[in-house]
Amino acid sequence: MISKEEIEKLAELSRLKLGEEEIAALQKDISSILDYVGQISALEGGEIKKEVGLNHNVMREDIPYVKENPLLESRDAVLEALPKREGDYAVVRKILHKND
Amino acid sequence: MTKLNELSIIEASAKLQAGEITAVDLARACLAEIERDRPEGTVDRLNAYLEVFTDVEEQAKQADERRKAGESHPLLGIPLAIKDNILIKGKKVSAASKMLEHYSATYDATVIQKLKDAGTVFLGRTNMDEFALGGSTENSAFGPTKNPHDPTRVAGGTSGGSAAAVAAHMCLGALGTDTGGSVRNPASFCGVVGLKPTYGTVSRSGLIAAVSSFDQAGPITKTVEDAKLIFDTIRGKDILDATSIDEDLYPKHTQKKIIGVIKLNVETAKENMDAVNSTVQVFSAAIKKLENEGFKIVEINLPSMQPALAAYYITNFAEVSSNLSRFDGVRYGLSLSGESLFDDYAKSRGEGFGAETRRRIILGTYVLSAGYYDAYYGKAVAAREQLRKEFEQTFKDVDVIATPTMPTPAWKIGEKSDPLSAYLADIFTVTANLTGNPAISVPMGTVDGLPVGIQFTAAHGDEETLFRVGKNVAGEEK
């Protein structure tokens, strides 16, 4: 079974705060789900080649899309959606502090 | 006389065009049905809608004005329900999550713009599994949607609200989105029609992303003809979605009147075996009927079906964890303060996301981490490509592949508490999302009084064949 420490590490990487009870439940659930989807590791590279397939780049000229672009008039609405705002700026927490 | 809200879109459209009824009449009939027997604290008796818009009659009046001015699109004045992960400018859109409970859309999704151009009336936004993660609408932060055929059972998911609203005549048709069966699964459980178009045919601009390489918006309707009408209205290449495709990208499929069936192998708990067997019986009868009507039935072999579900879920977890990283409490959505910036993120996300969403983010982070990437995601990509090739090969010989849409009819609310057992129910629907092929679910009969659907999957770009075979099953062929 996946360890408590592993779940805590994954939660940290995922930026998720989890309670003790949920961590215990996740150890069980995630282990059984990984056991199931893990059957895919048994597939051999011989018959199944890793290919790019469906994914390919879509190139276009770097010119602004203006005609009928619904996003053009959204600037104010986007600013309205900011949880903390000063003027036209989003307020974020200071992450650098002076040494005392 | 049939109540107006019980008409199909095509029927209502003819009456509108003939001047027998108005868009306001239609809208009022739907609103009355939504309001009927509504318990305290809910929008409707099934919890199909999360919100009914206050300007519905106003929209309907405008549609009537446009008709007077000479417009005549078949969807003009038709009231539709919209899944809560599709953006309508100025309206709330929450993806049934606490994270976006108070968020309003800042622009129109391309599909919404196209429906507005046609003159559709939007009734409200419908319930779903949070961020389209689930298969029963039980993962909604705002409570499950009940099945109109038995309110103790789920409506399916993730577009459960849309399917229930159509089946209960609370709208004439609806839009859903399909990531691993999210249009077809609730259509099967609620006894209506659901179409997942070819990947790239319908723009994803303005859909709240779940799994970007799987997501497609599609219609949920009472008839196959209605599904075709909505599909024809919302399709088209879009500059705002780089994965949208040209109409002629795929070569035209030559009709053979051959249906491929797979030897069914359903992994399920013992207590579900009866329901599975009954569903397979109804399916066999539907296939027999098609055979009697002149279709040739052949058994086909798709070896890559076996690892498909594992490949699907690995890809789902990986893309979900990436897509949902945008919810940081800084730009929009729920924003909570903690001791540090890290705490702000972790608290906002920990409380904003529901249990299944948190589980999938953790799983996605796991399968994408160094050391596991090749064993999980790398293999899933390879299996997906292999399945796509097998499908391509198969459609050289058959027009459609037929399976039951779901292995059972709708289950009891709360019955599947183990997440893995819920995942296993997606066995037939996920393949079309892995390969990008179009697929439709059409009602094929009932098991213990509950509807079950038959699923047809066609070659890329060949929705026309799905409509033709679907109409045959639904008895819409003249």
Side-chain angles (χ1 to χ4, degrees):
Chain A
M1 197 161 83
I2 193 164
S3 72
K4 183 169 183 273
E5 289 70 30
E6 273 179 286
I7 297 285
E8 284 169 345
K9 178 69 188 163
L10 290 167
E12 186 192 331
L13 291 169
S14 311
R15 303 290 186 267
L16 282 174
K17 191 175 173 174
L18 304 176
E20 288 298 317
E21 230 172 88
E22 184 170 10
I23 290 174
L26 281 172
Q27 279 182 262
K28 191 175 127 293
D29 290 343
I30 286 187
S31 297
S32 76
I33 293 166
L34 286 176
D35 276 350
Y36 181 81
V37 299
Q39 59 171 285
I40 204 146
S41 322
L43 293 181
E44 267 322 310
E47 41 180 315
I48 294 180
K49 276 216 313 282
K50 196 166 156 182
E51 287 178 39
V52 182
L54 291 169
N55 307 316
H56 59 92
N57 282 327
V58 176
M59 310 300 276
R60 62 166 177 83
E61 294 299 318
D62 187 21
I63 43 169
Y65 169 53
V66 179
K67 190 171 156 267
E68 288 172 8
N69 186 343
L71 309 176
L72 279 182
E73 290 159 24
S74 322
R75 184 177 178 277
D76 290 343
V78 169
L79 289 172
E80 286 295 322
L82 294 173
K84 297 184 195 89
R85 175 182 175 185
E86 262 181 47
D88 282 355
Y89 296 94
V91 177
V92 291
R93 193 188 275 269
K94 198 189 263 183
I95 51 165
L96 297 174
H97 298 274
K98 275 186 193 151
N99 281 334
D100 293 324
Chain B
M1 191 188 132
T2 318
K3 288 183 357 198
L4 292 184
N5 56 305
E6 293 177 5
L7 296 171
S8 72
I9 295 174
I10 297 285
E11 289 166 345
S13 189
K15 285 182 188 295
L16 284 168
Q17 191 63 28
E20 293 169 32
I21 57 170
T22 65
V24 172
D25 297 335
L26 271 178
R28 282 186 183 152
C30 291
L31 292 173
E33 187 58 43
I34 293 167
E35 188 62 28
R36 184 168 74 81
D37 309 327
R38 173 174 70 91
E40 274 292 301
T42 55
V43 179
D44 62 75
R45 64 191 180 282
L46 301 172
N47 204 25
Y49 283 91
L50 293 175
E51 180 188 356
V52 173
F53 300 138
T54 50
D55 62 348
V56 172
E57 286 202 22
E58 188 49 44
Q59 292 179 53
K61 266 182 210 144
Q62 280 175 19
D64 286 331
E65 292 297 321
R66 284 170 63 173
R67 188 174 300 278
K68 268 187 214 145
E71 286 189 47
S72 65
H73 192 284
L75 287 179
L76 179 60
I78 298 294
L80 299 182
I82 305 295
K83 188 179 182 181
D84 191 31
N85 61 349
I86 302 173
L87 274 58
I88 307 175
K89 188 174 182 176
K91 306 281 191 209
K92 277 190 182 161
V93 57
S94 79
S97 177
K98 294 276 178 205
M99 182 62 90
L100 291 174
E101 189 175 1
H102 305 293
Y103 179 73
S104 293
T106 53
Y107 62 98
D108 278 327
T110 298
V111 289
I112 293 299
Q113 188 56 55
K114 284 174 181 283
L115 290 175
K116 280 184 176 176
D117 291 345
T120 298
V121 172
F122 303 120
L123 288 163
R125 54 193 176 95
T126 50
N127 204 2
M128 56 183 280
D129 287 294
E130 183 186 28
F131 286 107
L133 310 177
S136 63
T137 311
E138 291 172 285
N139 295 331
S140 167
F142 308 106
T145 294
K146 296 168 189 158
N147 192 306
H149 299 271
D150 176 354
T152 67
R153 291 177 187 270
V154 300
T158 65
S159 314
S162 287
V166 173
H169 302 293
M170 294 180 192
C171 57
L172 265 61
L175 275 194
T177 60
D178 192 312
T179 304
S182 288
V183 159
R184 292 159 285 154
N185 156 336
S188 176
F189 281 8
C190 292
V192 291
V193 175
L195 171 76
K196 184 208 82 88
T198 306
Y199 184 80
T201 305
V202 177
S203 169
R204 291 184 297 109
S205 176
L207 267 50
I208 296 177
V211 182
S212 304
S213 73
F214 293 154
D215 296 344
Q216 271 293 282
I220 298 178
T221 52
K222 299 172 192 176
T223 67
V224 176
E225 191 68 43
D226 284 0
K228 177 173 157 53
L229 174 57
I230 294 181
F231 170 67
D232 285 339
T233 307
I234 62 176
R235 68 181 302 179
K237 190 175 167 69
D238 181 12
I239 195 166
L240 296 174
D241 174 4
T243 61
S244 68
I245 57 172
D246 284 315
E247 213 159 296
D248 57 356
L249 178 70
Y250 295 108
K252 208 162 159 47
H253 181 83
T254 343
Q255 293 305 314
K256 299 167 193 71
K257 273 211 128 184
I258 301 176
I259 294 174
V261 293
I262 311 158
K263 205 170 147 41
L264 299 174
N265 176 24
V266 182
E267 283 183 71
T268 187
K270 271 200 195 73
E271 59 267 28
N272 286 337
M273 236 23 247
D274 284 350
V276 171
N277 289 335
S278 306
T279 307
V280 171
Q281 268 176 25
V282 176
F283 172 72
S284 302
I287 291 295
K288 189 81 213 159
K289 205 165 154 261
L290 285 165
E291 194 173 13
N292 292 340
E293 279 162 26
F295 285 94
K296 191 178 165 199
I297 312 294
V298 295
E299 192 162 300
I300 50 169
N301 191 20
L302 291 167
S304 296
M305 277 286 279
Q306 203 273 326
L309 199 58
Y312 170 80
Y313 270 101
I314 290 165
T315 313
N316 181 299
F317 301 150
E319 291 198 39
V320 163
S321 73
S322 312
N323 262 330
L324 297 190
S325 65
R326 77 190 66 198
F327 296 99
D328 56 5
V330 174
R331 289 169 295 175
Y332 45 78
L334 184 72
S335 176
L336 299 174
S337 290
E339 301 284 304
S340 61
L341 181 64
F342 179 90
D343 250 23
D344 290 357
Y345 292 148
K347 227 173 138 181
S348 302
R349 291 166 59 80
E351 291 184 30
F353 292 135
E356 176 65 14
T357 306
R358 295 196 295 268
R359 186 156 43 229
R360 293 204 193 186
I361 291 172
I362 296 277
L363 279 158
T365 307
Y366 182 93
V367 300
L368 289 177
S369 32
Y372 297 113
Y373 184 93
D374 283 338
Y376 289 98
Y377 190 72
K379 291 277 186 186
V381 171
R384 182 178 185 179
E385 179 61 14
Q386 183 66 23
L387 184 68
R388 196 182 66 82
K389 282 186 180 153
E390 284 180 16
F391 266 51
E392 226 167 57
Q393 197 58 39
T394 301
F395 288 116
K396 287 184 180 158
D397 305 323
V398 306
D399 296 333
V400 291
I401 300 171
T403 65
T405 307
M406 299 295 289
T408 65
W411 53 80
K412 293 264 185 192
I413 292 170
E415 185 185 315
K416 289 196 195 284
S417 52
D418 165 38
L420 184 59
S421 75
Y423 296 173
L424 295 178
D426 299 339
I427 178 75
F428 298 129
T429 49
V430 296
T431 48
N433 300 85
L434 282 163
T435 60
N437 289 78
I440 196 168
S441 177
V442 180
M444 64 170 175
T446 57
V447 169
D448 298 330
L450 297 165
V452 282
I454 186 169
Q455 172 180 254
F456 298 105
T457 308
H460 288 107
D462 192 23
E463 279 83 357
E464 284 309 315
T465 298
L466 296 181
F467 296 136
R468 188 158 49 245
V469 180
K471 276 184 203 171
N472 198 305
V473 171
E476 291 176 42
E477 288 280 76
K478 270 136 223 146

